[in-house]
């Protein structure tokens, strides 16, 4: 699956994320991220510093999921409950659990907001729109607020090397531009829903600023 990246695969995973009672399956959340990473890796080496960090986060969550307490990590909801009930989350810096599932997933969750904004602006873009501008606007409205200066600069540099809009549509490997746009229109509500459910859950539990 990793070598034949397609936009469709990403969306299938995010679709599978939601259980009947609107819980978010970590297994598919991670699988969606794996697809995103394989996409990022097609964009060139400047993006590898971004994808490396995403991979590290994915691996941390995978380890919890396949570990001895794995059943508690079935959904984001069960993870939050389990880790909070058992005091496995550092609420401030310098505790015993710097790599909790909750704080790790929060990093991906924030990045998902970036993705949502970026894909939405790609979907509604016109021929003259620049991917680098769309990408950095999405970034500044989301992830950038949580990242230090040096990382912001490096990210901006990477954005400048993004392929143009036409090439970008092609690399998404989902048919004609019209088809890509239609697929984005179908898929974005799904990503938004997964994002919003996670956001509400984290807000309710005061977890949005985990160090
Ligand atoms: C298609 C273009 C992709 C652009 C991606 C835009 C995001 C730029 C983010 C730059 C992050 C760079 C490296 C590492 C940052 C980490 O410090 C943070 C916080 O983690 P901590 O240090 O607290 O453990 N990591 C993150 O914020 C997770 C970043 C994941 C980036 C995923 C990008 C989405 C890719 C989608 C591809 C279509």
């Amino acid at each position: 699956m990793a070598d034949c990246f397609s936009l469709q695969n990403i969306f299938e995973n995010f679709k599978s994320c939601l259980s009947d009672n609107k819980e978010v399956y970590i297994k598919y959340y991670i699988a969606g991220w794996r697809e995103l990473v394989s996409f990022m890796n097609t964009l060139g080496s400047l993006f590898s510093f971004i994808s490396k960090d995403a991979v590290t986060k994915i691996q941390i969550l995978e380890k919890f999921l396949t570990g001895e307490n794995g059943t508690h990590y079935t959904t984001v909801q069960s993870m939050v409950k389990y880790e909070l009930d058992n005091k496995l989350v550092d609420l401030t810096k310098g505790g015993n659990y710097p790599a909790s599932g909750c704080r790790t997933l929060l990093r991906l969750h924030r990045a998902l907001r970036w993705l949502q904004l970026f894909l939405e602006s790609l979907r509604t873009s016109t021929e003259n729109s620049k991917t680098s501008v769309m990408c950095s606007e999405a970034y500044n409205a989301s992830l950038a607020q949580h990242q230090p200066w040096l990382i912001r600069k490096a990210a901006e540099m990477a954005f400048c090397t993004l392929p143009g809009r036409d090439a970008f549509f092609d690399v998404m490997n989902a048919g004609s531009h019209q088809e890509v746009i239609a697929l984005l229109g179908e898929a974005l509500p799904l990503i938004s829903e997964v994002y919003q459910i996670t956001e509400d859950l984290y807000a309710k539990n005061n977890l949005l600023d985990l160090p």
Side-chain angles (χ1 to χ4, degrees):
M1 203 156 75
D3 349 319
C4 62
F5 159 83
S6 82
L7 193 59
Q8 186 75 45
N9 285 344
I10 295 183
F11 296 151
E12 292 298 333
N13 281 310
F14 282 106
K15 202 187 274 179
S16 309
C17 262
L18 286 177
S19 75
D20 291 341
N21 58 346
K22 303 281 179 196
E23 298 204 2
V24 178
Y25 290 118
I26 292 186
K27 178 175 166 196
Y28 295 108
Y29 195 89
I30 297 176
W33 273 101
R34 283 231 177 261
E35 290 290 333
L36 284 167
V37 164
S38 72
F39 177 61
M40 247 192 306
N41 289 341
T42 67
L43 294 174
S45 55
L46 269 175
F47 286 92
S48 65
F49 97 101
I50 299 175
S51 68
K52 258 194 205 125
D53 186 69
V55 168
T56 306
K57 306 272 190 284
I58 293 168
Q59 285 170 342
I60 292 173
L61 291 170
E62 242 160 21
K63 225 171 142 189
F64 282 126
L65 189 58
T66 57
E68 53 182 325
N69 297 311
T71 50
H72 298 295
Y73 289 84
T74 305
T75 66
V76 178
Q77 286 74 4
S78 65
M79 171 187 78
V80 165
K81 181 170 182 349
Y82 169 71
E83 289 196 341
L84 287 180
D85 285 354
N86 292 282
K87 306 213 174 351
L88 299 172
V89 184
D90 286 355
L91 301 175
T92 51
K93 263 200 165 111
N96 295 324
Y97 302 99
S100 64
C102 286
R103 72 83 69 189
T104 303
L105 192 123
L106 177 62
R107 275 33 186 195
L108 295 179
H109 169 70
R110 289 169 176 167
L112 198 62
R113 174 73 181 153
W114 165 81
L115 185 73
Q116 185 195 343
L117 295 173
F118 177 60
L119 292 182
E120 180 57 18
S121 96
L122 204 58
R123 188 182 73 85
T124 54
S125 64
T126 61
E127 270 159 46
N128 303 324
S129 307
K130 280 187 170 313
T131 46
S132 56
V133 174
M134 292 187 263
C135 188
S136 90
E137 282 175 357
Y139 178 70
N140 289 330
S142 58
L143 268 181
Q145 302 160 21
H146 303 286
Q147 299 184 333
W149 185 85
L150 195 65
I151 292 206
R152 291 204 302 271
K153 287 295 143 193
E156 290 296 334
M157 244 165 61
F159 298 161
C160 292
T161 72
L162 275 179
R165 182 175 174 271
D166 283 351
F168 206 90
F169 274 120
D170 293 341
V171 90
M172 291 202 273
N173 193 17
S176 70
H177 292 191
Q178 280 318 310
E179 287 168 329
V180 174
I181 289 171
L183 183 59
L184 286 173
E186 258 175 66
L188 273 162
L190 284 172
I191 294 188
S192 304
E193 192 176 9
V194 170
Y195 176 84
Q196 201 54 50
I197 290 173
T198 312
E199 178 76 8
D200 294 345
L201 176 74
Y202 269 63
K204 203 175 85 194
N205 289 282
N206 288 318
L207 297 174
L208 285 170
D209 296 309
L210 289 181

